[in-house]
Amino acid sequence: MEVRWSIFLIILGTALVTFFPRVLPIAILSRIELPEWVMRWLNYVPIAVMAALVGQELIMPNGKLEPLQNNLELIAALPAFIIAIVTRSLLGTVIAGIISIMVLRFVF
């Protein structure tokens, strides 16, 4: 088997570019004590990222703004959102969202 050095160097470079931005912050931040307000602020980062990802897909499916009657995902998200607020259960929220989208796709 022939090793193509250009491909090997590309793979090695992409591995390093992926590895260092993930490891360096963990290595640096594990050695220092962060203030309480920073720790509280960091608790909201995963929620904000998830909201941005899900919100973009709900409001602009396929990358374009759709009317409400054509946007079944946004309509199906409403019962899932209500279940999430009332029960605070991830499993219940996912099941409500799946059932909602199944019913809406069956009807429409």
Side-chain angles (χ1 to χ4, degrees):
M1 180 167 102
E2 178 185 352
V3 175
R4 293 177 54 188
W5 289 103
S6 60
I7 301 296
F8 176 74
L9 291 175
I10 289 172
I11 292 171
L12 183 64
T14 55
L16 293 174
V17 166
T18 303
F19 179 74
F20 284 119
R22 294 178 186 202
V23 171
L24 285 179
I26 293 172
I28 293 170
L29 292 176
S30 67
R31 298 178 192 275
I32 62 174
E33 183 71 29
L34 295 174
E36 176 62 30
W37 66 270
V38 173
M39 293 303 294
R40 278 184 308 193
W41 181 79
L42 287 174
N43 283 332
Y44 293 105
V45 171
I47 298 167
V49 169
M50 182 60 87
L53 293 173
V54 171
Q56 179 182 0
E57 188 60 33
L58 288 177
I59 295 172
M60 297 180 60
N62 303 321
K64 51 188 168 178
L65 195 58
E66 302 237 352
L68 183 59
Q69 62 268 22
N70 295 343
N71 195 345
L72 295 180
E73 289 81 7
L74 182 59
I75 297 168
L78 296 175
F81 184 69
I82 292 168
I83 294 292
I85 289 176
V86 170
T87 66
R88 301 217 182 252
S89 166
L90 179 61
L91 180 62
T93 303
V94 170
I95 290 173
I98 290 171
I99 290 173
S100 298
I101 196 69
M102 285 173 50
V103 168
L104 285 171
R105 286 186 180 169
F106 181 74
V107 172
F108 297 106

